[in-house]
Every structure is written in structure tokens, then in C-alpha cells.
Amino acid sequence: QVQLVESGGGSVQAGGSLRLSCTTAGSIFEIKIMEWYRQAPGKERELVARITSAGSRVYGDSVKGRFSISRDNAKNTAYLQMNALKPEDTAVYSCSANIRAAVNGWGVYWGQGTRVTVSS
């Protein structure tokens, strides 16, 4: 069974930095896309960043220039470096990945999320 686990969330003051990690477990043949989403209280979930297996990146408008997504294909792990954090970045950040698993083939998997709180 494939699992995604996020880590690295926490509380930080505005202007600070955090680095989130999304690690995977299970029998995985291939991961095409890895993404970070966030959902703030009372708001819809939004895409933060996306990275393909080839390294192509897409960022949400609100985080461009401040956040950076990367991945280690050998470890099937994705990272989100968040700099110059703002109070409006406060949310639960979740990792999603398009994975070809040994048992069930291709599917989209989600982690449980990690909370980020930015105080002013």
C-alpha cells in the first residue's frame, strides 16, 4: 500500500522559512507528478506547486518567487522550501502524487497534511 507522509510544518514568524518534506512508502514503480496543495480555514484548497519527473515546475501566483519545489527521484521524495513566509500562508499543506504502484497501477495519492502557521 502506497503512503505519503508530510513533515516539516510548524509555527514561524512572518519573514521566516520552513522546509516541508513529502516522503513515500510502499511498492512504487514510478512517480510522474508531485504536488503541494494548501487549504486555509474557510478557503478552498489551492495548488501551491507542482513538479514533474523531468523537473518542470509550476507555482501558484501567491507563492511565486518565495517558494521552491524540488524532488529526489531516487528517494521518491518531494520538498517545498518556503521563504519570506506571510501570515496568509497559514494553512494545512498536503502532498499529492501521481504514482504507479506495484499492486494497483496508476493512481493519485494524498498525504494527511502538515500545518503551517505564520504569525505577524
Side-chain angles (χ1 to χ4, degrees):
Q1 178 136 2
V2 173
Q3 291 183 321
L4 273 63
V5 178
E6 301 95 337
S7 61
S11 298
V12 64
Q13 290 191 329
S17 298
L18 284 174
R19 188 189 192 216
L20 306 183
S21 297
C22 173
T23 57
T24 60
S27 297
I28 296 172
F29 287 152
E30 183 180 357
I31 302 178
K32 282 189 177 179
I33 295 173
M34 301 190 80
E35 300 173 311
W36 286 97
Y37 285 83
R38 68 184 182 186
Q39 187 165 22
K43 295 188 176 181
E44 293 187 355
R45 185 173 63 195
E46 64 171 336
L47 175 68
V48 177
R50 172 185 296 135
I51 187 168
T52 69
S53 56
S56 296
R57 296 168 172 83
V58 171
Y59 294 97
D61 288 341
S62 61
V63 306
K64 285 180 181 177
R66 299 187 298 121
F67 290 13
S68 176
I69 189 171
S70 61
R71 64 190 281 178
D72 185 331
N73 290 330
K75 296 181 179 179
N76 288 333
T77 298
Y79 305 96
L80 185 68
Q81 178 66 44
M82 306 187 294
N83 299 326
L85 283 161
K86 305 175 181 180
E88 50 264 44
D89 293 319
T90 296
V92 174
Y93 286 71
S94 299
C95 177
S96 172
N98 183 218
I99 294 174
R100 183 162 71 100
V103 175
N104 297 322
W106 286 106
V108 177
Y109 295 83
W110 290 84
Q112 82 290 346
T114 185
R115 186 174 301 276
V116 172
T117 303
V118 184
S119 58
S120 57

